[in-house]
Amino acid sequence: NKMTRDLKNITVSRDFSDGIINSMTESLILINSKGIIDYVNQATLELLNYNEQELLKMPISKILGKNEVFFSNEVMNMMLKQKFVKNYEIIFITKEGEPIPMSFSAAIMKDSQGKPTGLLGIAKDMKFTIKLLEQERQMTIAKIKISQEKERFKELEIANHKIKESQEIIIQSGR
């Protein structure tokens, strides 16, 4: 009876955590110490257009840009010292080969003896944010141009006023 209750509690807890993970909008990837993908959530599958069988047990390099250095020895050694990395810019590649800029945060996973066993990564698609930043940049440039044009218009108005004054003086002196 206790064993049944314990099993039920474990199942409810697992179902609850699976529900949370699969309702996340961010990509979640569990990578083992050999750089192999052990788990991905639904958001990752949808973002990259893969099904679970196409990603599980595959090297993480399958979804990374060719020039990606995140999993280099240098970065991984830094991760081991700091235990985590936050908002690292990384490029994921979809099944169709489309690059997606991501903000990647990760933490080292350890076994009961404290030995690193892998990496738990959460990544956020930055396409929309980058698009908004570019729009903001374009709006700032447009505002600067408008300001410059207004200043130029004021200068032309002043010059026009001086010309009219000069013409008036010439007309007055000719009478």
Side-chain angles (χ1 to χ4, degrees), residues 94-121:
T94 67
K95 185 176 181 177
E96 297 76 22
E98 175 194 352
I100 301 177
M102 305 292 287
S103 175
F104 190 74
S105 298
I108 297 285
M109 302 290 291
K110 295 183 179 183
D111 63 16
S112 58
Q113 285 83 37
K115 180 183 170 201
T117 59
L119 198 72
L120 176 64

Side-chain angles (χ1 to χ4, degrees), residues 4 17 19 23 50 53 69-70 103 105 109 124 134 147 158:
T4 304
S17 61
S23 66
Y50 281 104
Q53 292 74 30
V69 297
F70 182 79
S103 175
S105 298
M109 302 290 291
K124 180 173 176 45
E134 179 58 24
S147 177
I158 292 169

Side-chain angles (χ1 to χ4, degrees), residues 1 10 17 19 25 33 38 53 61 64 70 73 80 90 105-106 121 123 127 133 174:
N1 208 2
I10 290 170
S17 61
T25 57
S33 59
D38 281 342
Q53 292 74 30
S61 60
L64 295 178
F70 182 79
N73 287 337
L80 286 170
I90 195 168
S105 298
K127 283 186 299 192
L133 289 172

Side-chain angles (χ1 to χ4, degrees), residues 9-153:
N9 287 338
I10 290 170
T11 303
V12 169
S13 295
R14 189 194 70 227
D15 290 346
F16 180 72
S17 61
D18 284 350
I20 291 171
I21 289 168
N22 284 316
S23 66
M24 289 175 60
T25 57
E26 289 84 12
S27 175
L28 183 135
I29 302 175
L30 182 60
I31 306 152
N32 69 27
S33 59
K34 292 177 176 41
I36 303 298
I37 300 170
D38 281 342
Y39 178 86
V40 293
N41 66 346
Q42 189 61 37
T44 305
L45 298 173
E46 290 171 9
L47 175 72
L48 301 176
N49 297 321
Y50 281 104
N51 65 48
E52 200 172 36
Q53 292 74 30
E54 292 173 308
L55 285 183
L56 293 184
K57 305 303 175 206
M58 292 294 155
I60 188 65
S61 60
K62 180 171 183 154
I63 63 167
L64 295 178
K66 286 182 174 67
N67 299 324
E68 192 52 63
V69 297
F70 182 79
F71 291 91
S72 68
N73 287 337
E74 180 183 325
V75 176
M76 292 310 286
N77 286 335
M78 178 187 74
M79 280 272 305
L80 286 170
K81 289 177 188 168
Q82 294 180 349
K83 312 273 190 280
F84 67 93
V85 67
K86 195 172 182 183
N87 298 323
Y88 187 87
E89 292 179 20
I90 195 168
I91 301 290
F92 279 2
I93 304 295
T94 67
K95 185 176 181 177
E96 297 76 22
E98 175 194 352
I100 301 177
M102 305 292 287
S103 175
F104 190 74
S105 298
I108 297 285
M109 302 290 291
K110 295 183 179 183
D111 63 16
S112 58
Q113 285 83 37
K115 180 183 170 201
T117 59
L119 198 72
L120 176 64
I122 296 177
K124 180 173 176 45
D125 181 350
M126 297 303 291
K127 283 186 299 192
F128 183 70
T129 303
I130 289 170
K131 183 179 177 182
L132 286 178
L133 289 172
E134 179 58 24
Q135 288 174 346
E136 184 178 316
R137 187 181 77 77
Q138 293 295 332
M139 285 175 46
T140 301
I141 289 170
K143 286 178 183 177
I144 290 169
K145 285 181 180 180
I146 289 169
S147 177
Q148 289 170 341
E149 289 298 317
K150 283 182 178 179
E151 193 62 37
R152 201 167 137 226
F153 183 74

